[in-house]
Amino acid sequence: MARQTGVSTRLLRYYEEQGLLAPRRRPSGFRDYREQDVETVRRIRALLTAGLSTRSIAALMPCLPGGGDLAPVPLSADLLAGLGRERARLRDAAAGLLAACEALDAVMASVHIP
């Protein structure tokens, strides 16, 4: 799993401790990861990169497509408000990145290479 995802075994164990990942166990005690666990780890990494906490991610995982049942999952008002703030922060960051790309495009378009 570590090779497939680029995530260290230590982090995989941490995700398991946080309830984000639930690999099956072999009789020997070794973890047995399924193909869907690879996608789960990728989602965890993306959400962490976006700035969400593991606690928020654990609450969201059942709500995400492919992450479990899409039936309504009760979220606290605090968590929902926090997610709204995160969404606003991400949108602001995306707008800033887009503006930076447009500025670079303008600079690159104005450069004349002899």
Side-chain angles (χ1 to χ4, degrees):
M1 177 64 93
R3 275 183 253 126
Q4 277 186 291
T5 61
V7 173
S8 71
T9 54
R10 184 173 181 229
L11 271 178
L12 292 172
R13 288 186 198 111
Y14 175 74
Y15 298 159
E16 187 177 352
E17 289 170 11
Q18 298 301 305
L20 301 174
L21 194 59
R24 291 182 282 200
R25 292 289 186 144
R26 296 181 183 176
S28 63
F30 287 101
R31 291 164 180 85
D32 188 19
Y33 293 101
R34 299 162 292 198
E35 188 58 37
Q36 70 188 42
D37 293 329
V38 173
E39 182 59 30
T40 298
V41 170
R42 289 183 178 139
R43 284 175 183 224
I44 293 166
R45 299 299 301 162
L47 292 168
L48 286 169
T49 298
L52 291 158
S53 69
T54 54
R55 183 178 177 186
S56 295
I57 294 169
L60 287 175
M61 290 300 280
C63 304
L64 297 173
D69 188 4
L70 288 180
V73 174
L75 297 176
S76 72
D78 288 343
L79 179 56
L80 197 53
L83 293 175
R85 288 189 298 275
E86 284 300 318
R87 181 179 58 198
R89 184 188 63 78
L90 290 171
R91 285 190 175 155
D92 289 346
L97 289 171
L98 183 58
C101 284
E102 290 169 356
L104 285 175
D105 288 344
V107 168
M108 292 170 69
S110 69
V111 172
H112 298 286
I113 299 175

